[in-house]
Amino acid sequence: IGLISSVYSVTETVTALVYADNYFEFYVNGVLVAQDPIDFTPHQGVQFTFTATIGEPRTYAVKANDYATSSGYEYVNTTHAGLGDGALRIKLSDGTVSSTAWKCTTISYGPTAASIAAGCSANNLTPCQLSITDAPDGWTLSSFDDSKWESASVFTEAEAGWGRSPSYDSKSGQCTTLTDPYTGENKNPSYLVLPADECITPALQNWGLSQFMWRPDLFLDNTILCRLTVK
């Protein structure tokens, strides 16, 4: 008599709540499952779901970007150019939260110390330079070696903050207010039509045990990559 065995995979739906100042991409085991529809302002929370197999390791990977021009500054077409500050916060229904348990690295940094020494400032952008590297191959995959990455730096709400909160019109689906990172003026149109889950006021949400995380410098670490494997 032949013996037939079957192995069944049991999955669950995980709900994610992510806030990024200004933009994020969220990967699960190498697959992009969500990305921020707004790359600058407003600073909105985004809620989404994905399916994961129960009992198997999950590698969560996030690319987060604090908007910066080639000088590292925002509002460069105004008289008040400034350095933006990044922030990232994550809460998943499987208990995963943003914390120092995540490993992170920076792929865009600046203005660099050398360019600041050469005179880079809000009033003199010409010498300003960034240090930019490509994301390493396979960085979103479970097999990637992140042993040389550093633990995420965490920050208080007072240090990181919620930025410019969105406004949402449930009838029209308009998420406002979109502004220009070069001029600071409202874009035309100054809204995107989005589902309510992509235009959430982050300060009003229950973020549980999650913490604001980033790389050590909220102002100079412009684009970061972070990973966490949950077993």
Side-chain angles (χ1 to χ4, degrees), residues 36-39 41-42 44 167-169 172-178 189-195 198-199:
D36 197 331
I38 299 175
D39 66 358
T41 62
Q44 89 289 15
S167 295
Y168 187 72
D169 186 321
S172 66
Q174 293 181 4
C175 183
T176 59
T177 302
L178 305 182
S190 61
Y191 65 85
L192 278 181
V193 176
L194 297 172
E198 295 185 5
C199 188

Side-chain angles (χ1 to χ4, degrees), residues 20 23-27 32-36 61-65 139:
Y23 170 83
F24 75 88
E25 297 172 1
F26 194 94
Y27 299 81
L32 177 65
V33 297
Q35 62 187 108
D36 197 331
V62 183
K63 177 182 179 180
N65 180 59
W139 74 274

Side-chain angles (χ1 to χ4, degrees), residues 20-95:
D21 179 354
N22 298 101
Y23 170 83
F24 75 88
E25 297 172 1
F26 194 94
Y27 299 81
V28 180
N29 295 333
V31 178
L32 177 65
V33 297
Q35 62 187 108
D36 197 331
I38 299 175
D39 66 358
F40 190 51
T41 62
H43 303 102
Q44 89 289 15
V46 177
Q47 182 171 290
F48 56 91
T49 61
F50 57 88
T51 301
T53 302
I54 295 174
E56 293 185 359
R58 304 169 188 178
T59 295
Y60 298 128
V62 183
K63 177 182 179 180
N65 180 59
D66 175 42
Y67 194 96
T69 64
S70 59
S71 66
Y73 282 83
E74 304 169 342
Y75 308 126
V76 294
N77 292 346
T78 72
T79 58
H80 54 274
L83 295 173
D85 55 335
L88 179 64
R89 198 156 183 176
I90 299 167
K91 177 188 174 186
L92 308 185
S93 61
D94 67 358

Side-chain angles (χ1 to χ4, degrees), residues 136-151:
D137 291 341
W139 74 274
T140 64
L141 302 176
S142 301
S143 57
F144 182 78
D145 180 8
D146 59 16
S147 60
K148 294 184 179 180
W149 291 19
E150 298 178 348
S151 296

